Amino acid sequence: MIRIAQADITTLSVDAIVNAANQRMFGGGGVDGAIHRAAGPELFEACLKVPEVRSGVRCPTGEARITPGFKLPAKFVIHTVGPVYRDGRHGEPELLAACYRNSLALAAENGCKSIAFPCISTGVYGYPIEDAARISVDTMRAFLSGRDSARPEMEVIFCCFSERDKQVYDNLMKTESP
Ligand code: ADP
């Protein structure tokens, strides 16, 4: 089941919230900063324990890593790194879809039944919300329908921060719902 919400993702009582992280997993601005502040310093410690795959990279773009949620109502934080948007022709759509797919797979592997996503890459990374929202919904529907992996029982929340982002998602769900 897919739901659209307008909320601060750090307040949601779900099994996992997804963080739009950076490759170092050092925390940062935007939703990443908000999640680290709400989870407390243990989250930063847990991120540092994630092994580097190469110098300065704990989570390559498009991949996902999991940590506990510590002080958050959510049990887990799934950290994924969205692509920086250039023009949409440098692999950004595939990388953004991979973020959603890999986060969902990691949530399923860890027994999560509910997961909330922010609008990955649409802040500082500059991905146009209309394009990013379409990719996220398409990827989610493929996952939930079992075409990618059979986990249809998962509740997925697209957690929009702004009213405008929520409108984009609401319109997309209305026009393209099966
Ligand atoms: P990125 O670097 O992937 O673009 P940002 O954190 O800059 O990540 O922005 C991603 C999205 O997260 C934006 O739509 C932004 O409005 C939203 N956002 C920022 N803070 C929060 C929050 N507390 N809860 C949910 N979404 C948030």
Side-chain angles (χ1 to χ4, degrees):
M1 185 182 62
I2 299 178
R3 280 207 302 126
I4 313 299
Q6 188 186 352
D8 174 349
I9 201 166
T10 64
T11 65
L12 299 184
S13 295
V14 285
D15 291 335
I17 63 170
V18 175
N19 182 18
N22 52 56
Q23 292 191 335
R24 277 180 191 273
M25 294 180 67
F26 264 14
V31 71
D32 196 1
I35 289 172
H36 274 273
R37 276 192 300 278
E42 295 102 322
L43 181 61
F44 184 68
E45 298 300 321
C47 285
L48 289 189
K49 287 194 188 126
V50 173
E52 288 188 337
V53 294
R54 53 181 186 275
S55 181
V57 178
R58 293 190 171 76
C59 183
T61 303
E63 294 190 16
R65 301 289 186 268
I66 193 164
T67 66
F70 299 103
K71 294 201 180 79
L72 290 165
K75 212 181 302 166
F76 298 108
V77 178
I78 293 178
H79 307 260
T80 189
V81 181
V84 176
Y85 187 81
R86 289 167 67 185
D87 56 6
R89 296 192 198 124
H90 288 82
E92 301 97 317
E94 293 76 15
L95 286 168
L96 187 61
C99 286
Y100 284 96
R101 227 175 9 248
N102 288 325
S103 297
L104 285 164
L106 200 49
E109 266 169 50
N110 284 274
C112 297
K113 296 273 185 274
S114 56
I115 183 170
F117 284 89
C119 304
I120 299 165
S121 280
T122 67
V124 170
Y125 284 2
Y127 216 115
I129 180 67
E130 289 81 4
D131 297 342
R134 183 178 301 277
I135 289 165
S136 65
V137 169
D138 287 351
T139 306
M140 208 64 70
R141 286 186 173 149
F143 183 88
L144 295 177
S145 70
R147 267 178 275 153
D148 285 352
S149 164
R151 301 288 174 192
E153 76 277 18
M154 183 115 56
E155 181 191 13
V156 176
I157 300 169
F158 288 114
C159 179
C160 303
F161 204 41
S162 71
E163 201 178 327
R164 182 179 129 66
D165 289 354
K166 182 167 187 297
Q167 275 167 8
V168 171
Y169 268 97
D170 282 342
N171 287 336
L172 202 56
M173 295 298 287
K174 237 182 280 164
T175 54
E176 295 189 7
S177 263

